[in-house]
């Protein structure tokens, strides 16, 4: 059975000393989680940090995303519908090959912001280019710095890991992270701290709450055994990372 999921977008905009016309921007995308898990939308499961953002900002009642992750992220990056950009189903380029997302055909929001003077970074999931054969893809798409799970690479089963022992690439250097989401979160916090004197843009397509669902640092010593509780733990830890 195919599960249809939605995606939660959080947009944080803060004014800088340069004026409100050059705000700092942090765009967070929570992967494969519906609004029925967010307490400010009426869910029983508590997401206090997301709720605080909703209380201090704007909460949309009507919004849609694509029903699967890769088309959602390409749509967001390019501002085009799938029937225009061509990504109509999930496709993991490092695993299955192909040209990937073309920077000559499509302009991402990151490139537009970088060209206007923003410092830019991505932390999270990519998958839509093979960074082995296109090592400068993220730079070409507009990201000055990166800390990403590249996606599972054909012939390298170790790259399938994204959580515990996650195979994470930071500015071209590959490491086996203790817990991938923590490594990425810390990278983005450091990026923000290092760019307080200029407008910055941080794009955060989170690894959480996409499967495989396992224990997090919050419940590793006593992990839940059923799938719903495992997912709930992933949502709880995602909310904690947003709060950080």
């Amino acid at each position: 059975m195919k599960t249809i999921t939605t995606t939660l977008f959080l947009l944080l905009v803060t004014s800088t000393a340069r004026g409100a016309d050059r705000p700092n921007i942090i765009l967070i995308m929570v992967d494969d989680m519906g609004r029925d898990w967010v307490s400010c939308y009426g869910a029983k499961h508590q997401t206090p940090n997301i709720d605080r953002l909703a209380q201090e900002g704007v909460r949309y009642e009507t919004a849609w995303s694509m029903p699967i992750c890769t088309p959602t992220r390409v749509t967001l990056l390019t501002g085009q519908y799938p029937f225009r950009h061509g990504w109509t189903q999930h496709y993991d380029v490092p695993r299955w090959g192909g040209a990937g997302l073309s920077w000559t055909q499509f302009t991402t929001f990151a490139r537009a912001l970088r060209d206007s003077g923003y410092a830019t970074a991505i932390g999270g999931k990519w998958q839509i280019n093979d960074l082995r054969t296109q090592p400068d893809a993220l730079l070409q798409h507009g990201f000055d710095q990166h800390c990403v799970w590249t996606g599972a690479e054909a012939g390298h089963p170790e790259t399938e890991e994204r959580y515990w022992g996650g195979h994470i690439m930071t500015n071209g250097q590959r490491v086996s992270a203790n817990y991938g989401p923590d490594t990425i979160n810390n990278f983005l916090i450091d990026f923000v701290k290092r760019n307080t004197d200029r407008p910055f843009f941080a794009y955060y397509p989170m690894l959480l709450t996409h499967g495989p669902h396992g224990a997090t640092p919050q419940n590793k010593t006593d992990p839940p055994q059923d799938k719903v509780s495992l997912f709930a733990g992933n949502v709880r830890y995602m909310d904690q990372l947003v709060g950080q």
Side-chain angles (χ1 to χ4, degrees):
M1 180 177 71
K2 187 173 182 180
T3 301
I4 301 300
T5 57
T6 59
T7 303
L8 178 70
F9 296 97
L10 306 175
L11 179 63
L12 284 66
V13 180
T14 61
S15 297
T16 70
R18 295 170 181 259
D21 60 330
R22 305 286 287 173
N24 294 326
I25 304 169
I26 302 173
L27 177 58
I28 304 173
M29 186 180 72
V30 183
D31 202 353
D32 279 13
M33 183 189 72
R35 58 182 284 172
D36 52 329
W37 281 89
V38 183
S39 46
C40 66
Y41 282 101
K44 293 182 179 180
H45 185 89
Q46 296 301 299
T47 50
N49 293 298
I50 292 176
D51 291 358
R52 188 175 74 250
L53 293 175
Q55 184 177 9
E56 297 173 356
V58 176
R59 180 173 61 88
Y60 287 93
E61 293 284 355
T62 305
W64 290 269
S65 70
M66 303 307 108
I68 198 165
C69 59
T70 314
T72 292
R73 285 181 285 117
V74 175
T75 296
L76 181 64
L77 282 162
T78 64
Q80 297 189 15
Y81 288 113
F83 76 89
R84 295 194 183 279
H85 61 58
W87 295 68
T88 57
Q89 60 184 7
H90 174 69
Y91 194 83
D92 196 342
V93 176
R95 187 196 302 267
W96 295 310
L101 184 64
S102 169
W103 51 83
T104 59
Q105 186 177 359
F106 301 105
T107 300
T108 68
F109 52 65
R111 198 163 82 196
L113 286 167
R114 187 183 65 187
D115 290 350
S116 70
Y118 275 71
T120 59
I122 177 176
K125 183 191 291 189
W126 191 245
Q127 291 183 289
I128 50 182
N129 291 95
D130 189 340
L131 300 184
R132 296 171 297 177
T133 58
Q134 299 173 312
D136 64 340
L138 292 171
L139 187 64
Q140 294 285 355
H141 283 305
F143 298 104
D144 295 322
Q145 299 182 45
H146 63 266
C147 182
V148 297
W149 177 62
T150 64
E153 298 173 352
H156 296 275
E158 72 277 7
T159 61
E160 296 181 14
E161 298 297 333
R162 70 188 83 172
Y163 294 118
W164 294 105
H167 198 78
I168 305 299
M169 177 185 286
T170 302
N171 294 330
Q173 301 298 314
R174 296 172 181 262
V175 298
S176 178
N178 180 41
Y179 187 66
D182 282 348
T183 298
I184 291 167
N185 213 64
N186 291 336
F187 165 84
L188 288 173
I189 290 172
D190 180 67
F191 169 79
V192 167
K193 290 179 177 179
R194 287 186 289 103
N195 288 278
T196 56
D197 61 342
R198 62 179 293 191
F200 66 77
F201 170 68
Y203 173 47
Y204 192 3
M206 299 184 81
L207 301 184
L208 292 166
T209 58
H210 195 287
H213 303 122
T216 73
Q218 282 183 327
N219 58 19
K220 187 180 181 183
T221 57
D222 187 22
Q225 301 303 310
D226 64 283
K227 292 182 179 180
V228 173
S229 297
L230 277 173
F231 185 76
N234 280 222
V235 173
R236 188 175 303 112
Y237 199 73
M238 172 278 301
D239 184 75
Q240 176 177 301
L241 294 180
V242 170
Q244 292 175 8

